Amino acid sequence: MQRLIPTGDAARPVAFTEAPQPTPEPGEALIKVEAFAPNRGETFLLERPRQGLLPGKDIAGLVVQAAADGSGPGIGTRVVGHPAQGGWAEYAAVPTHSLAVLTDGIDSVRAAALPLAGITALRLLRTAGSLAGRRVLLTGASGGVGHYVTELAVAAGAELTAVTATPVRGERLTELGARVVHDVTAAQGPFDVVLESTGGTTLPIALSKVRPGGLLVWFGQASRSPVTLDFFELLGVAEGVTIQHFHYAGAPYGPDLAALVGLVERGRLHPEIGRIADWADTADTLVDLRERRIRGKAVLLTGEGR
Ligand SMILES: NC(=O)c1ccc[n+]([C@@H]2O[C@H](COP(=O)([O-])OP(=O)(O)OC[C@H]3O[C@@H](n4cnc5c(N)ncnc54)[C@H](OP(=O)(O)O)[C@@H]3O)[C@@H](O)[C@H]2O)c1
C-alpha cells in the first residue's frame, strides 16, 4: 500500500513510499482510509522527524477488518478515528477505544476534520469551566481548534473575542458569534478566561487582560517563540490569575469523537474546512498550513475518498 513518510525537507515535508499493510493488535481495527487531516502540531514534528515517525492522527474511512478481541465496530462500518500515528496511508490500524461510528449524514471529509482539533476544543472548554455569561479571549483563533472552540463557547453563553491575523481569517468566526480583532492589543478586557495558543509576545499582553483571579489556559505556541513575563507589569492588573498549561492528550478518544459526531449530526458544530485536496498534494498543504494560508482545517482525500 501507499503511505506518506517524513522527508525532513521543510519545502516538501512528506513523500510517498510503498509499505506493507499494518497488522492490527488484538484491540485494533484495520481501517481503509478515505480522508485524513493534518494538524499544526504535526507540522512541527515533521521539521525534525524522529526515527520511525509515521505521521497521521486524524482519519475517516471504512472498517475492513474488525478487532480480533471482539471490541469496536464490525467490518463495513464507516468510522472516524484518532490513532497515535500512521494515518496518512491507504490503511491504518486504530485502537477501537479511539474510534466512533459515523452516521450516513456525515461524510468522510467533515469526519476527518474532527479528531485532534475537536477533542482539543472539547477538553479545553471543560478545563475552562462554565462559560455562561463569561467574557472569553481566544488567540490563534483562525485554525481548526479556534473554529470549534468559538462555536461551542458561544453556544454555551460566552461573550467571545477572537484574535486572527486578517479579516478574511476571522470571517467565519464573526458568523459564529465572535467579536474579531486582528491584534491582541485591540481586545477589550477584562476577560474571565483567556485561551492562549500563540505564546511569544502575545501571551503577556493577553495575560494583562485577564481579570484579577481569572484564568489563562495556555495550550500552544504557534509563534514558536517562548514567553517572557514581567512580574511588575502584572501588579494591580492580573493579580491572582491562574495560568494553566494544557495538553489535550489521553486515550480513550472514542467517547469524545462520538460526542463531536453527534454535535455535527444535530447541526450544533460545523467543521470549517479551508482546503480539500487529493493526498498527492499533502506536502504543499502542510506548507500552506504552516504558513497560515489555510483557514480552519485542511482535509486530504485518499483512495475511495477522491
Ligand atoms: N495543547 C494541546 O493539546 C494542543 C492541541 C491542539 C492544538 N494545539 C495548539 O493550538 C493551536 C491551534 O491549533 P490548530 O490545530 O487550530 O492550528 P492551526 O489550524 O494551524 O491554527 C493555528 C492558528 O495560530 C495562528 N498562528 C499561526 N502562526 C502564528 C504566529 N507565528 N503568530 C501568531 N499566531 C499564529 C494562526 O492564526 P492567524 O494566522 O489568523 O493569526 C493559525 O490559524 C496551535 O498552536 C497548536 O499547536 C495544542
Side-chain angles (χ1 to χ4, degrees), residues 1 4 19 66 69-70 82 136 139 170 189 192-195 200 204 223 225 227 238 243 247 253 263 268 271-272 287:
M1 68 162 198
L4 286 166
D69 68 0
H82 189 54
V136 178
T139 60
D192 299 294
V193 176
V194 170
L195 305 172
S223 68
S225 304
V227 171
I243 300 178
H247 188 211
Y253 298 105
L263 285 162
R268 306 298 299 270
E272 172 66 9
V287 171

Side-chain angles (χ1 to χ4, degrees), residues 118 152 182 186 195 242 284 293:
L152 294 173
H182 307 300
L195 305 172
T242 299
D284 290 339
R293 292 192 283 258

